[in-house]
Amino acid sequence: MDYDHNKALLLELQRAAGTGNDRCADCGDPDPEWASYKLGIFICLNCSGIHRNLPEISRVKSLRLDFWESNLIEFMRNHGNLWAKAKYEAKVPPYYYIPKSHDCMVLRQQWIRAKYERGQFLDTGVCHDPCSAGSREGCLWKLGKGRRQFQKRQFLLSAREGVMKYYSKEEIVDWFNAIRAARYHYLRTTFPNVPEPELIPRITRNFVKEGYMEKTGPKQKEAFKVRWFCLDSQERNLLYFKNPLDAFAQGQVFIGRRDEGYAVRDDLPQKVWVKKKKPMITLVTPTREFVFICENDRKQREWMDALNGVITQL
């Protein structure tokens, strides 16, 4: 009887308005079905796996499969996701990348450990973030000139000089946020009158879609060549590279709005013919039509959805 009653109470808490419990406390995934009864938060399945590896900090149970004692129900009622957010995320630096459910494991893992294990963002009046100075020194593996192997190099990141020069999982996340911190300090200094919410999206790029496609030249008679494409929804650009790790793009295509004459089709422009029997995409712009070949139907649909998403956004 207590089992069913307590489970009903717990699920009611998870759905309660104004608690933030309806989304994972760590990655924002909707309808979390796990909880940490040591921290008093509701979390998703993937984040619960990370919490399991921090037994001194967090202990987890399933909302539906495990038995919840009455005292644990009361503890969850007195805490919850908004309470935890106010405590453990009180001083998250504006440049710090807060991972979402679709982000890689190492970003979510270090976010959770930074909050609960290291207490980096507690409201103690002291900044615990090792990246906050925008400067960092340490080792990274860098791809060599021949692009055949990675080599270990000592790197120095200097926000003051505005350079990153070179002579573990946790380290790469610290480097990532240190680079964001350096970029944030640069933008804050260069554009002192721009509101902070407008600066944050410009710290680093988040591509909505990446992958290989084949493209032809402006006359649409040139041979198709394989290129690595990155779709930047913020800057509304489709960039293409010869190799995924190239530092600079070979070119880019600006993508405007539909009412400006931009569109995506799954066929070829008139008078264009190709030998390959593969899915095609035509990106229509006011000045030119760009033709791409996709590997298969699924890739074609993914790219068309991503491109249409940029075209339809305001």
Side-chain angles (χ1 to χ4, degrees), residues 34-273:
W34 290 76
S36 168
Y37 59 87
K38 199 167 183 178
L39 293 170
I41 56 175
F42 292 80
I43 52 180
C44 69
L45 174 63
N46 288 331
C47 289
S48 74
I50 300 173
H51 280 258
R52 284 185 186 278
N53 293 323
L54 304 173
E56 296 182 359
I57 307 297
S58 181
R59 297 290 179 90
V60 299
K61 281 188 177 187
S62 168
L63 304 187
R64 299 180 182 275
L65 303 178
D66 293 321
F67 174 71
W68 284 77
E69 295 83 353
S70 297
N71 65 313
L72 295 184
I73 298 290
E74 191 62 24
F75 181 80
M76 297 297 296
R77 189 191 307 279
N78 293 331
H79 293 79
N81 289 8
L82 286 187
W83 175 89
K85 185 178 183 68
K87 177 180 179 180
Y88 294 105
E89 301 179 32
K91 288 194 173 181
V92 179
Y95 58 79
Y96 198 96
Y97 183 76
I98 299 177
K100 305 295 187 295
S101 59
H102 61 268
D103 284 313
C104 64
M105 176 65 75
V106 67
L107 282 174
R108 288 188 285 121
Q109 182 185 65
Q110 292 306 314
W111 166 240
I112 289 170
R113 293 187 64 186
K115 285 200 296 182
Y116 308 119
E117 187 177 53
R118 299 194 292 271
Q120 285 183 203
F121 315 123
L122 295 172
D123 188 10
T124 59
V126 179
C127 180
H128 299 284
D129 182 24
C131 312
S132 61
S135 299
R136 186 173 177 83
E137 185 174 0
C139 289
L140 287 173
W141 289 87
K142 174 185 176 293
L143 189 64
K145 290 183 178 180
R147 298 188 177 280
R148 294 183 179 179
Q149 64 181 29
F150 282 85
Q151 298 170 327
K152 195 173 185 179
R153 293 290 183 264
Q154 184 77 9
F155 278 81
L156 173 64
L157 174 70
S158 172
R160 181 178 59 83
E161 298 177 48
V163 297
M164 181 174 175
K165 48 191 177 183
Y166 63 91
Y167 306 88
S168 80
K169 289 182 180 180
E170 181 174 337
E171 289 175 343
I172 199 66
V173 173
D174 286 344
W175 269 106
F176 176 59
N177 280 303
I179 293 170
R180 286 177 60 88
R183 176 70 174 165
Y184 171 75
H185 289 308
Y186 165 76
L187 293 173
R188 185 77 283 172
T189 303
T190 308
F191 307 104
N193 297 323
V194 175
E196 190 169 89
E198 295 182 22
L199 290 181
I200 301 305
R202 298 185 177 275
I203 292 179
T204 51
R205 285 176 169 175
N206 285 322
F207 297 129
V208 295
K209 176 69 178 170
E210 294 181 275
Y212 285 107
M213 288 192 293
E214 296 179 51
K215 72 175 291 292
T216 186
K219 295 181 181 179
Q220 298 176 346
K221 295 181 180 179
E222 299 87 347
F224 279 83
K225 296 180 180 179
V226 176
R227 293 293 182 260
W228 179 262
F229 287 84
C230 299
L231 182 57
D232 183 348
S233 62
Q234 180 180 310
E235 299 294 333
R236 308 186 74 105
N237 281 326
L238 179 65
L239 302 92
Y240 56 92
F241 304 78
K242 188 173 181 179
N243 297 293
L245 296 178
D246 286 348
F248 300 101
Q250 285 192 322
Q252 61 186 41
V253 182
F254 177 77
I255 303 175
R257 299 190 303 272
R258 194 175 303 281
D259 59 9
E260 296 173 332
Y262 292 83
V264 182
R265 302 197 312 260
D266 60 357
D267 57 10
L268 292 171
Q270 292 183 352
K271 299 181 180 180
V272 176
W273 180 84

